[in-house]
Amino acid sequence: MKLSLNAMTKGLFITALSSVMLITTAYANNPEPTIKADAPNRYIVEKGDTLWDISGRYLDSPWRWKEIWATNKQIKNPNLIYPNDVLILCVIQGKTLVGVDTGEGCAGVEKQLTGSTVASAVTVTSVANSIPPIPMSAIQHWLDKTLIVNPEDFNTTPYVLASKKRNLITASGDKVYTKGVPLIVGQRYGVYREGEKYVEPRTQKVIGLEVTQVATGLVTSVETNGVSSLQLLDSYGKEVREGDRVFVELDDSIPPVFYPKPATVSRGGMIVRVMDSINSAARGSVVAINLGSMQGAKPGDVLTAYQKGPLVRDTMDSDMPVRLPSEPAGMVMVFNTFDDISYAYVLSSELPLSIGDQLLPPPYL
């Protein structure tokens, strides 16, 4: 997703592209995924399950779940799963697949898969109660009010100058005054707090600025000296302060449903921040990575995190230090993308993940 404030104010381990192409070629020539030996023949989906967890019951490579999923051609959203659905393991036309049991067992799954069932119309299913790919509660904060924008654009937006009550802290129901580019009377605007800057490790260039929306307001008047009056309508857990920036609320659009899949990015990346932590990330944590929409990252992309191998002494060669190879340490899934940065959820971690850990599409095993 690209976020440009220009429009709003007016109304180590880098992999060459050839490496990614080699990975893509390997995907095309790869054999079918292997079903786990202990995969359940019958599984009842429970509330609180995630698509990733269910996929992991059947595959060692859960990102390949679509290759074993028997989609129902009579359903508009054939990949949705709901609590109390009964998943069964079937061999259909020589392939081992997982499908939803409609009461006819594997024969019914085969009918759905081949489209031989008689239906007067395609059934439309609701996304609302479906099983999410990952726990939505873990990422909701990073979906609702937190964005990454261009810092140069951010610094050109109007700022909160003062409040009507002349207090330093204001909240919902108060009036504040902004200075800068005149706002539009009757227009809703967001009030945003400056957060952390993101730096590209290779170049040390600032590639993004994290901002958090703290309030929404309605413009009631605009003066000729560039001062606009903003009546605060809602606040989001934080007070409005002098210096906060004001611009049109950005539509941080996330697809209603996204599915884990191997990333097809133009280069490798790395973890550049562990959110809400200063040290390391474990399963269930959120991290920021230096791959965004400009590098081809999309919601649902799965990447393997690698940790740099330790230095050891070669006692057979005059105690020379030797760096051991990087080893896979966990997996992350992108859920929100910006130009050069994305937020990702830690799906698994054999070792605690840290800033600087390298990221590549998962090996297609």
Side-chain angles (χ1 to χ4, degrees):
M1 179 185 63
K2 297 181 179 180
L3 296 175
S4 173
L5 293 186
N6 284 329
M8 300 306 171
T9 56
K10 298 177 181 179
L12 282 29
F13 192 90
I14 304 303
T15 302
L17 179 59
S18 58
S19 299
V20 175
M21 292 175 67
L22 287 173
I23 292 172
T24 304
T25 303
Y27 290 175
N29 298 327
N30 204 68
E32 293 181 6
T34 303
I35 304 291
K36 282 185 172 181
D38 60 349
N41 289 317
R42 185 175 186 271
Y43 177 72
I44 301 176
V45 179
E46 300 178 358
K47 185 176 181 180
D49 279 344
T50 65
L51 178 59
W52 182 261
D53 291 335
I54 292 172
S55 303
R57 292 178 180 271
Y58 292 94
L59 295 171
D60 287 317
S61 305
W63 57 89
R64 300 188 68 181
W65 68 275
K66 272 197 172 184
E67 298 177 55
I68 67 162
W69 185 246
T71 54
N72 184 346
K73 293 186 177 181
Q74 310 303 325
I75 301 295
K76 184 176 181 180
N77 296 315
N79 298 312
L80 297 182
I81 315 172
Y82 299 88
N84 299 319
D85 276 351
V86 179
L87 304 182
I88 53 177
L89 199 61
C90 303
V91 177
I92 299 174
Q93 298 175 357
K95 293 185 64 175
T96 303
L97 301 173
V98 178
V100 177
D101 187 4
T102 58
E104 297 181 85
C106 289
V109 173
E110 185 168 6
K111 288 180 183 179
Q112 298 171 49
L113 178 64
T114 58
S116 59
T117 53
V118 178
S120 57
V122 172
T123 303
V124 178
T125 54
S126 171
V127 173
N129 299 312
S130 63
I131 296 299
I134 56 178
M136 296 303 290
S137 58
I139 66 173
Q140 200 63 54
H141 170 74
W142 309 105
L143 294 176
D144 285 345
K145 302 301 174 187
T146 304
L147 302 166
I148 297 175
V149 299
N150 185 315
E152 295 179 3
D153 293 340
F154 183 78
N155 291 332
T156 67
T157 58
Y159 56 89
V160 175
L161 176 66
S163 69
K164 180 179 179 180
K165 297 179 181 178
R166 302 305 300 274
N167 54 321
L168 296 177
I169 300 175
T170 55
S172 179
D174 292 337
K175 179 178 284 188
V176 297
Y177 303 104
T178 71
K179 185 179 180 184
V181 177
L183 305 178
I184 301 172
V185 174
Q187 171 74 55
R188 283 173 59 101
Y189 287 85
V191 182
Y192 291 85
R193 174 80 37 79
E194 181 175 354
E196 183 160 335
K197 292 179 180 178
Y198 288 91
V199 176
E200 170 56 52
R202 297 173 304 165
T203 63
Q204 295 302 303
K205 177 185 176 183
V206 175
I207 56 175
L209 172 68
E210 189 172 275
V211 299
T212 301
Q213 187 175 3
V214 297
T216 298
L218 185 72
V219 178
T220 57
S221 68
V222 177
E223 305 300 324
T224 56
N225 62 357
V227 175
S228 303
S229 300
L230 190 71
Q231 186 74 40
L232 299 181
L233 303 176
D234 296 295
S235 56
Y236 307 113
K238 296 182 179 180
E239 73 284 354
V240 174
R241 298 175 182 170
E242 293 178 2
D244 286 343
R245 296 287 179 163
V246 178
F247 46 86
V248 173
E249 292 180 285
L250 299 177
D251 180 16
D252 187 17
S253 299
I254 300 296
V257 181
F258 53 89
Y259 300 107
K261 62 186 184 304
T264 53
V265 288
S266 60
R267 60 169 173 80
M270 66 175 61
I271 295 173
V272 294
R273 182 182 170 196
V274 178
M275 316 306 285
D276 290 336
S277 173
I278 58 173
N279 292 317
S280 59
R283 177 177 176 176
S285 299
V286 173
V287 296
I289 67 175
N290 68 337
L291 294 168
S293 58
M294 299 295 288
Q295 293 77 42
K298 298 175 290 296
D301 279 359
V302 174
L303 295 144
T304 299
Y306 293 82
Q307 289 190 347
K308 184 184 293 185
L311 276 175
V312 297
R313 295 284 178 180
D314 186 349
T315 58
M316 302 295 290
D317 187 14
S318 306
D319 267 357
M320 289 291 292
V322 178
R323 175 76 66 182
L324 296 183
S326 297
E327 294 288 348
M331 306 199 78
V332 304
M333 189 184 83
V334 172
F335 64 85
N336 200 357
T337 61
F338 306 92
D339 281 355
D340 296 294
I341 296 286
S342 293
Y343 292 138
Y345 175 84
V346 179
L347 296 165
S348 62
S349 58
E350 296 179 20
L351 300 168
L353 305 185
S354 305
I355 294 172
D357 284 352
Q358 303 149 355
L359 298 168
L360 280 177
Y364 216 55
L365 304 176

